[in-house]
Amino acid sequence: MSARLPEQELPVELTPFAAVEAAYPTELGRVCEALQRGLPVMVEADKELTPFFYKCLRDRLKREGKQFLYLDGRAAQEPPPGMPAPSLMSTLIAQLREAVRGAVRERIVVLPHLDLLTTSSGGLTTEAREVIPLLYENPEMVWVGFKDPSFPLPRVIENLFPHRESILGVSRERLRYLVTQRESRKFGRGLQPYALYKHVSGVNAVRLRRLLGAITGEDYPADARPAYAQLRNATLSGSLSVPDLDLHRDIGGYVKVKERLQRELLDVLAHKDTLGDAEQVKQVESLLPRGMIFWGPPGTGKTLFAKAMASALGAAVTVVSGPELKSRWVGESEENLRQIFVRARQAAPSIIVFDELDSFASARGTYTGSGVEHSMVNQLLTEMDGFRKEELVFVVGTTNFVESLDPALLRPGRFEFQLCIPYPNSTDRRAILSIYDRKLGLGLSERALEYAVKRTGDLVEGTGSRYSGDHLQALCRALARRRLREGNPGPTEPIDVEQALTEYLDRPELTAAEEKVVATHEAGHALCALHCPHAPPIDRISIRGDLAGSLGFVQYADRAHRYVVTRGQLLDNLCMLFGGREAEALLLEDVSIGSAQDLEQATEIARALVQEFGMGGDATLAVQRFAPHDARAPSLPLSNATLEQLDAQVRHLLESQRQRARDILQRERGLLLALRDLLLERKVLDREAFAHLVPSAAPKESSRG
């Protein structure tokens, strides 16, 4: 555990003014020095801190003989009975005019509410246009202006203050001077400043004193977590909250993603909490990545992982949509960004999630809008560079197109931690479905779970995308609604999963003759696959038109070997592709245009076998390499005779595999008819449905070509 401070080393009592002196001695010293040199100063601080910081400043400089004039717009005396009270701004303008043009004597003029001069978007109010000339009228005046971090200031006002001091939260080194002995007892015996700091790093000294004084509970508790929880809840403002999402219990699958998050971030932070040496803590903090990119396809849970990370850290989450930050007004987009960081730092530990980061942080030179994106990227980098190392504020950007992001964001020290969250594989899908099964009470039988895993392994019906975590959640919610409507207390079976997936799909309505053509075509593909030794097992055959752009399809299981592709596999692919066309020609004595895509894919494979991989069968033939910038242009010119030989090899491969497919179908004509008829009857077949048609010892054709 981190080092504990003995109770007797802490202050017994502490007023708010003493707390400000203890928390900000360096900042007060810098402001005093600037004022003594005659430099106007702007202090950026929370509203509640302003009067206390001013009094400490005044007490310090009074000893140097300096005098202050505090202009807050309040009238010196009440108006006569029956007379309306003057407005705050009119009184302030009168006070300013008197200070600038009145009796000349050396004094420091304090403006505690600079934000009164601005609109919410950072523009000048009507009254402020009268104030600006007064501020610049007397160059000998020494001003102290206080600015709330939540309000932007126009450049014309900021330029008045050559020295600026920003005060947000307290530094970790000063925290030990801000906790009294009585308050420390609520956290156990001896104060752990490092454990306490991560809950209050963004809280100013005055508010910190108020929060610590409000903590309830017994002294010297065995478990200090309730006291820390009170602090955590008190520092959450507005819509901020700490999500309750366990990385391992509530997110299914994605073992590698979780392991990387755990090892690279969560374990490092957990290790930091065990350290007591300040130098060791600083060294560990320097290793933490403050900027992270979570990238991958839509719906895979990028924001969900960020929330689970926040839950593990006890951090508040702010989810910001990139497009919502943009504004048509000059400077407002950058100001929106700045305010998000201010709120996040005040509620630290916190995580800012920029959803669709690429909407404003794409590579420079690719902007098509007003160009505000460039300024927003610069503002984002400025805010990230301004973090104190001890502050637990992290920035997560999610995107579907990591390659489009500005390279300046991805360099080490900024968004250096990049995490890919892909579509879920079969293991991930099983884990995700099991979690929803438990949470929604679906009662999935083992057969239904296995069917759902296999069924969601291909493209989503009616679209061109694969199944993501969001799709799986939608499937489970549809099953839950179906069980609720039907009042079904029994287990969920595969038929229920299929109905939930396809009940409301808008499928093409085929005639009987069209269904026969499609069934013949898909049966041909499947039968050739069953007799090719290198073909993956078949999971499903469908003729319902429930896959985007296809009236029917054969779905295969994942290959056992994904990274090494052999000549035998490619030749079997050619044979399988010809199976549909040859089945139509054999049984229908005609062919449809549905095989056009099969022929195109077969030609691409055969040409790659010959011209790229040198597998055409004649080892003496040259391999035609292609230039990287143009896939159609050979990098080395070949003679016409060699090109003719290459084309001949391509034609030979295509013809030999077409004939191979025809031989299989002619020999197994009876099986082809049985499989087609079963497809026409059931529309969809899984592996179990047609296993009885194929003998377990069915002969496997050798790959010829």
Side-chain angles (χ1 to χ4, degrees):
M1 296 294 288
S2 58
R4 294 178 180 268
L5 289 175
E7 183 179 316
Q8 52 269 32
E9 291 187 13
L10 302 176
V12 178
E13 293 294 337
L14 205 58
T15 66
F17 299 103
V20 172
E21 278 283 0
Y24 310 114
T26 304
E27 292 85 346
L28 283 165
R30 285 197 295 259
V31 173
C32 287
E33 182 185 357
L35 292 174
Q36 286 176 324
R37 292 164 51 203
L39 294 178
V41 176
M42 180 171 67
V43 180
E44 184 178 47
D46 294 330
K47 280 288 186 186
E48 60 188 336
L49 181 62
T50 296
F52 299 95
F53 192 91
Y54 160 68
K55 183 181 183 301
C56 293
L57 191 64
R58 184 192 63 186
D59 291 346
R60 283 192 175 201
L61 288 178
K62 265 189 175 181
R63 295 193 290 266
E64 305 294 330
K66 299 291 184 181
Q67 294 186 351
F68 286 80
L69 179 62
Y70 192 84
L71 305 183
D72 59 359
R74 288 184 295 180
Q77 56 186 10
E78 293 292 327
M83 295 291 293
S87 69
L88 191 67
M89 279 305 301
S90 62
T91 304
L92 179 60
I93 293 172
Q95 291 173 344
L96 268 173
R97 187 177 294 113
E98 182 181 351
V100 171
R101 300 174 180 173
V104 177
R105 55 178 176 170
E106 187 179 349
R107 57 185 175 180
I108 299 170
V109 181
V110 181
L111 300 173
H113 308 300
L114 284 176
D115 49 276
L116 288 177
L117 306 178
T118 69
T119 64
S120 59
S121 61
L124 289 171
T125 62
T126 304
E127 295 90 346
R129 299 182 189 281
E130 299 182 47
V131 172
I132 300 302
L134 290 172
L135 295 177
Y136 281 90
E137 185 171 319
N138 188 346
E140 300 299 322
M141 297 290 292
V142 180
W143 307 93
V144 177
F146 286 87
K147 170 188 178 297
D148 190 294
S150 301
F151 290 90
L153 280 181
R155 186 72 63 186
V156 67
I157 296 179
E158 286 191 345
N159 290 342
L160 184 68
F161 304 96
H163 184 90
R164 299 171 193 173
E165 199 70 44
S166 180
I167 300 174
L168 184 61
V170 295
S171 68
R172 186 167 54 201
E173 288 71 20
R174 308 302 303 176
L175 185 60
R176 61 183 298 172
Y177 304 108
L178 301 175
V179 185
T180 65
Q181 295 179 10
R182 179 182 59 80
E183 293 158 353
S184 71
R185 296 170 194 153
K186 305 299 181 184
F187 302 100
R189 295 192 179 275
L191 179 68
Q192 292 179 277
Y194 284 72
L196 176 61
Y197 183 75
K198 71 178 183 180
H199 296 87
V200 297
S201 62
V203 179
N204 68 66
V206 175
R207 188 178 179 214
L208 175 63
R209 295 295 310 128
R210 188 160 56 248
L211 296 181
L212 290 173
I215 292 178
T216 59
E218 62 179 355
D219 289 347
Y220 309 118
D223 184 2
R225 284 180 295 181
Y228 287 120
Q230 290 183 55
L231 275 180
R232 172 75 280 194
N233 291 331
T235 56
L236 296 176
S237 59
S239 60
L240 292 177
S241 62
V242 178
D244 182 15
L245 193 70
D246 187 86
L247 181 63
H248 302 284
R249 185 186 67 245
D250 297 322
I251 300 181
Y254 290 105
V255 174
K256 290 184 178 179
V257 174
K258 294 176 181 177
E259 182 178 298
R260 189 166 179 220
L261 265 180
Q262 188 73 44
R263 295 176 62 183
E264 296 286 339
L265 186 69
L266 302 182
D267 287 350
V268 175
L269 286 167
H271 175 69
K272 188 194 78 165
D273 290 341
T274 66
L275 300 176
D277 182 72
E279 289 304 316
Q280 288 182 330
V281 171
K282 289 179 180 179
Q283 183 179 8
V284 171
E285 287 172 344
S286 68
L287 303 177
L288 290 171
R290 296 310 176 96
M292 290 165 263
I293 299 290
F294 290 180
W295 65 276
T300 52
K302 297 180 287 294
T303 303
L304 198 66
F305 274 102
K307 290 182 176 180
M309 185 176 75
S311 184
L313 299 177
V317 170
T318 302
V319 180
V320 184
S321 174
E324 291 178 0
L325 289 173
K326 293 183 182 180
S327 172
R328 60 177 178 171
W329 305 111
V330 175
E332 191 167 288
S333 300
E334 298 91 312
E335 183 58 32
N336 292 339
L337 263 175
R338 197 180 66 82
Q339 292 197 24
I340 287 168
F341 276 88
V342 167
R343 289 194 296 269
R345 294 178 71 183
Q346 289 174 336
S350 60
I351 295 177
I352 306 172
V353 180
F354 287 105
D355 206 9
E356 301 178 69
L357 180 64
D358 51 281
S359 65
F360 71 88
S362 54
R364 279 167 281 193
T366 63
Y367 306 134
T368 57
S370 63
V372 69
E373 297 90 349
H374 183 246
S375 299
M376 292 176 71
V377 169
N378 290 339
Q379 183 68 34
L380 175 61
L381 298 178
T382 299
E383 295 293 341
M384 292 181 66
D385 292 342
F387 286 152
R388 294 195 299 262
K389 291 189 180 299
E390 65 266 24
E391 283 182 313
L392 285 184
V393 180
F394 300 93
V395 181
V396 175
T398 69
T399 179
N400 305 329
F401 310 102
V402 67
E403 64 279 358
S404 70
L405 293 178
D406 195 312
L409 291 173
L410 305 180
R411 74 165 177 78
R414 288 175 176 170
F415 286 94
E416 62 180 88
F417 184 90
Q418 299 174 34
L419 189 65
C420 175
I421 304 175
Y423 284 117
N425 59 28
S426 58
T427 304
D428 300 331
R429 294 196 301 276
R430 182 176 287 104
I432 293 170
L433 290 167
S434 297
I435 286 177
Y436 286 123
D437 180 27
R438 183 185 74 242
K439 289 185 174 182
L440 300 178
L442 301 180
L444 284 170
S445 67
E446 189 58 36
R447 289 182 68 251
L449 179 61
E450 190 64 28
Y451 179 80
V453 171
K454 291 182 178 180
R455 182 69 172 77
T456 55
D458 212 324
L459 300 180
V460 180
E461 290 85 345
T463 75
S465 67
R466 293 175 57 190
Y467 277 87
S468 67
D470 282 354
H471 288 112
L472 298 178
Q473 183 193 39
L475 166 62
C476 292
R477 290 168 63 190
L479 285 170
R481 291 194 297 270
R482 185 180 184 85
R483 288 171 63 84
L484 185 64
R485 288 196 306 267
E486 299 178 357
N488 178 20
T492 298
E493 297 296 343
I495 185 63
D496 301 312
V497 174
E498 184 62 28
Q499 288 177 342
L501 285 169
T502 61
E503 186 174 7
Y504 298 110
L505 285 179
D506 186 15
R507 297 182 178 133
E509 297 182 4
L510 303 180
T511 64
E514 288 173 326
E515 273 196 344
K516 189 174 183 180
V517 173
V518 176
T520 302
H521 186 99
E522 301 307 332
H525 282 312
L527 195 57
C528 284
L530 292 170
H531 288 78
C532 286
H534 302 291
I538 297 173
D539 272 344
R540 184 166 172 256
I541 312 172
S542 171
I543 62 168
R544 289 192 310 191
D546 49 5
L547 191 67
S550 177
L551 298 177
F553 65 91
V554 179
Q555 179 180 338
Y556 300 96
D558 292 338
R559 291 184 179 274
H561 305 287
R562 301 180 182 179
Y563 306 108
V564 176
V565 180
T566 65
R567 182 173 184 267
Q569 289 174 342
L570 294 174
L571 292 176
D572 281 359
N573 283 347
L574 289 177
C575 179
M576 291 153 56
L577 286 168
F578 279 115
R581 180 184 176 90
E582 292 306 311
E584 292 182 35
L586 182 64
L587 299 186
L588 305 176
E589 297 182 353
D590 199 358
V591 292
S592 69
I593 64 173
S595 58
Q597 189 175 9
D598 295 335
L599 293 178
E600 182 180 351
Q601 292 180 14
T603 303
E604 289 179 358
I605 293 173
R607 194 165 291 281
L609 270 164
V610 173
Q611 297 181 194
E612 293 186 48
F613 309 137
M615 297 178 178
D618 189 344
T620 63
L621 286 180
V623 177
Q624 187 178 21
R625 296 293 182 188
F626 293 97
H629 59 277
D630 186 353
R632 298 167 297 177
S635 56
L636 294 174
L638 300 177
S639 67
N640 290 335
T642 301
L643 289 174
E644 289 178 3
Q645 287 181 299
L646 293 175
D647 284 341
Q649 282 289 334
V650 172
R651 287 195 299 272
H652 172 70
L653 279 180
L654 291 172
E655 178 58 27
S656 64
Q657 293 305 313
R658 185 196 68 79
Q659 188 59 48
R660 179 185 171 203
R662 188 170 184 84
D663 291 346
I664 293 172
L665 297 174
Q666 284 179 330
R667 187 181 64 245
E668 303 292 344
R669 183 187 180 102
L671 185 57
L672 177 64
L673 286 168
L675 186 56
R676 182 190 70 178
D677 292 343
L678 190 61
L679 261 176
L680 287 172
E681 176 187 348
R682 299 193 185 179
K683 313 304 182 191
V684 177
L685 302 177
D686 58 19
R687 193 183 306 177
E688 296 176 358
F690 60 83
H692 67 284
L693 296 177
V694 184
S696 59
K700 291 284 187 175
E701 293 288 321
S702 61
S703 299
R704 303 180 310 204

